[in-house]
Amino acid sequence: MNILIVGAGGREHALAWKISQSPRLDKLFIAPGNGGTALIGTNVPLKDNDIEGIVAFARDNVIDLVVAGPELPLVLGLKEALDSVRIPCFGPCVFDAQLEGSKAFAKNMMRDTGVPTADFRVFDTHEAALAYVRAHDLPMVIKADGLAAGKGVVIAQSMNEAEEALHDMMVKQVFGEAGMTVVVEEALVGEEASFMAFCDGKTIVPMPSLQDHKRIGDNDTGLNTGGMGAYSPAPILPEDSYTAMADLAIRPIVEHLAGIGQPFKGVLYAGLMMTAKGPMVLEYNVRFGDPECQPLMARLKSDLVEIMLACVEGILSPAQVVFHQETSCCVVMAAQGYPQDYPKGMVISGLDAAEEIESVKVFQAGTQLRNGVPVSSGGRVLGVTALGCDLRQARERAYRAVEKIRFENSYYRKDIANKGLRRS
Ligand code: AMP
Ligand code: GLY
């Protein structure tokens, strides 16, 4: 089979690495890919929002399966565009992609299907949103409805912050169309966890739990990022709770979508807050998390291509999805300054030495090859991932590997998996 992966991050390198191990694979392409994917497949210079270009490439190169890494192409209708030329796509239809593309859509569906989530209201005028916010207690969470590159969520501790967030989104329209509608919701308190499942439209197969680290600084301080590290399993969500969690957070949505003729095929990701009142869903993503995908692929034993085909064809069975029992841990190395401005073009060394450490795999994210040498080209540069017999060993190996890698202005969190260690 010829397979095309869309995307350019650590997630896509991890998917490419796992897919490249499948006996089903002939040729692998990644659009646009990065320095890591260039070593195991052919990078194609097409952006993830260039739906026409991706479809034309897939048709011209006899692609048998397109795998959507990020949400944007799905929200833009990649699946439908591929359907029209009869090329299978791993990832949901544009209707289902609204679960990630519109927070109001996701919250309304959670309420309609009984999924536990923070109390909320949706507003599409600034006056009404402002009046509501002024009449309610703080803290309060204000979210731009649409995709805002992870920047559309403000946890307002003061009325000033709340008013400024509404003004930025609805009057200044800093996120454009995405912020014209806002969700205002109750602030939840608890530890976060990531829970993902493969879905074939009706059958749901949960994957091992993970915990991401969203803030840039140690001890969860500073700005929100795409994620600075993750480990699996997360002791806060043990294996014997996966079935119950799937029934709580995934099944109601998948059954509802099947019932209205929009079966969900792909990966459904529930971002959870483990509150004193029980788990609540913060958000859905319609794809693998990043960095979560990296420690997850390190643990996946089964053939990912077989799983993806079964999802697309609606014949998924739990027996097809087997994970190694080992624990995995991924530490993201970023460029100093991320998630704001950061330098690019730093030469990266020490990748081979890092991978000489037992069970270590370095996934590349914001990198390019320059004359065969990896250089940084993004904020999150590498995902240094290790397996171990327990979290302590996986974490120790990952950090030992991080220390072998050098690039100017590198930055990483020193406390990845500490919360998990305290619980295990
Ligand atoms: P979201 O994109 O909705 O997941 O929000 C991004 C991040 O904001 C989450 O990972 C949480 O850390 C935080 N967050 C979102 N909603 C809430 C909430 N209702 N209460 C507290 N924190 C939240
Ligand atoms: N790491 C969180 C996400 O992929 O959305």
Side-chain angles (χ1 to χ4, degrees):
M1 290 182 68
N2 298 332
I3 298 181
L4 170 64
I5 301 172
V6 177
R11 167 182 50 214
E12 286 73 24
H13 187 194
L15 292 173
W17 172 77
K18 189 66 199 168
I19 285 173
S20 71
Q21 295 163 16
S22 171
R24 301 284 296 260
L25 182 71
D26 293 313
K27 284 194 215 147
L28 179 62
F29 299 92
I30 309 92
N34 59 31
T37 63
L39 302 173
I40 43 180
T42 305
N43 285 354
V44 183
L46 287 169
K47 291 206 177 127
D48 66 357
N49 64 358
D50 182 2
I51 304 302
E52 252 178 59
I54 293 167
V55 173
F57 179 89
R59 205 188 38 216
D60 295 348
N61 291 273
V62 204
I63 297 295
D64 301 293
L65 176 68
V66 175
V67 176
E71 63 282 5
L72 184 61
L74 296 165
V75 169
L76 294 176
L78 178 63
K79 182 179 186 309
E80 286 74 5
L82 289 165
D83 279 350
S84 70
V85 291
R86 295 204 187 81
I87 297 175
C89 174
F90 181 80
C93 60
V94 79
F95 182 86
D96 295 356
Q98 291 177 89
L99 282 169
E100 180 161 1
S102 163
K103 293 196 188 285
F105 177 93
K107 293 290 290 191
N108 284 325
M109 195 173 289
M110 286 188 246
R111 181 170 55 198
D112 294 349
T113 59
V115 173
T117 190
D119 282 340
F120 71 101
R121 290 276 299 270
V122 178
F123 297 97
D124 48 26
T125 69
H126 181 241
E127 295 70 32
L130 194 60
Y132 179 84
V133 161
R134 284 184 172 157
H136 285 79
D137 291 339
L138 296 161
M140 197 177 286
V141 185
I142 296 171
K143 300 183 172 182
D145 177 58
L147 296 180
K151 295 189 179 130
V153 176
V154 174
I155 301 169
Q157 304 290 348
S158 70
M159 198 48 76
N160 253 355
E161 269 179 282
E163 291 188 9
E164 193 182 314
L166 289 179
H167 190 81
D168 283 350
M169 290 177 197
M170 305 188 88
V171 181
K172 277 168 72 186
Q173 300 178 4
V174 295
F175 304 120
E177 192 75 26
M180 312 273 263
T181 298
V182 299
V183 174
V184 179
E185 69 179 39
E186 163 203 14
L188 301 175
V189 180
E191 217 175 287
E192 284 179 59
S194 307
F195 187 69
M196 289 179 251
F198 288 110
C199 306
D200 76 348
K202 45 187 193 306
T203 301
I204 296 162
V205 181
M207 291 182 244
S209 63
L210 297 109
Q211 188 167 57
D212 187 13
H213 298 67
K214 292 240 162 87
R215 305 292 198 93
I216 188 69
D218 286 354
N219 302 315
D220 299 329
T221 53
L223 294 172
N224 245 328
T225 71
M228 294 301 294
Y231 60 93
S232 173
I236 194 164
L237 213 66
E239 193 169 349
D240 61 8
S241 68
Y242 295 171
T243 304
M245 190 53 65
D247 288 347
L248 190 79
I250 307 283
R251 188 172 310 284
I253 300 290
V254 169
E255 285 183 352
H256 174 77
L257 291 172
I260 59 171
Q262 304 283 359
F264 188 100
K265 298 182 175 190
V267 171
L268 186 56
Y269 168 132
L272 303 171
M273 185 78 97
M274 311 304 281
T275 75
K277 287 190 274 178
M280 308 261 231
V281 176
L282 289 175
E283 61 159 351
Y284 286 111
N285 295 322
V286 296
R287 48 160 178 88
F288 287 105
D290 192 8
E292 288 95 324
C293 187
Q294 302 173 52
L296 208 49
M297 288 305 115
R299 290 190 59 194
L300 182 61
K301 190 172 180 185
S302 309
D303 183 342
L304 181 60
V305 174
E306 297 287 354
I307 297 172
M308 288 179 160
L309 288 174
C311 287
V312 169
E313 289 164 17
I315 53 169
L316 181 66
S317 83
Q320 278 175 303
V321 185
V322 180
F323 285 86
H324 292 289
Q325 273 308 312
E326 289 147 289
T327 296
S328 58
C329 179
C330 167
V331 177
V332 170
M333 296 183 78
Q336 189 83 47
Y338 172 80
Q340 292 175 299
D341 291 342
Y342 52 81
K344 294 183 185 173
M346 288 93 75
V347 174
I348 302 163
S349 64
L351 296 178
D352 291 341
E355 289 193 339
E356 274 168 20
I357 295 169
E358 195 180 345
S359 302
V360 167
K361 175 71 201 163
V362 181
F363 295 114
Q364 300 191 27
T367 71
Q368 282 174 354
L369 293 183
R370 197 196 282 155
N371 302 323
V373 177
V375 298
S376 74
S377 62
R380 291 191 291 176
V381 178
L382 304 168
V384 182
T385 306
L387 284 171
C389 63
D390 58 15
L391 185 53
R392 191 170 304 279
Q393 189 180 51
R395 180 187 189 282
E396 187 272 324
R397 285 174 175 167
Y399 274 110
R400 197 145 40 92
V402 163
E403 278 164 22
K404 301 273 183 203
I405 298 172
R406 294 270 178 270
F407 60 91
E408 220 182 308
N409 295 307
S410 70
Y411 168 82
Y412 58 91
R413 271 180 69 161
K414 312 280 189 299
D415 66 339
I416 301 303
N418 283 6
K419 272 191 243 160
L421 280 180
R422 282 200 290 272
R423 277 182 192 277
S424 53

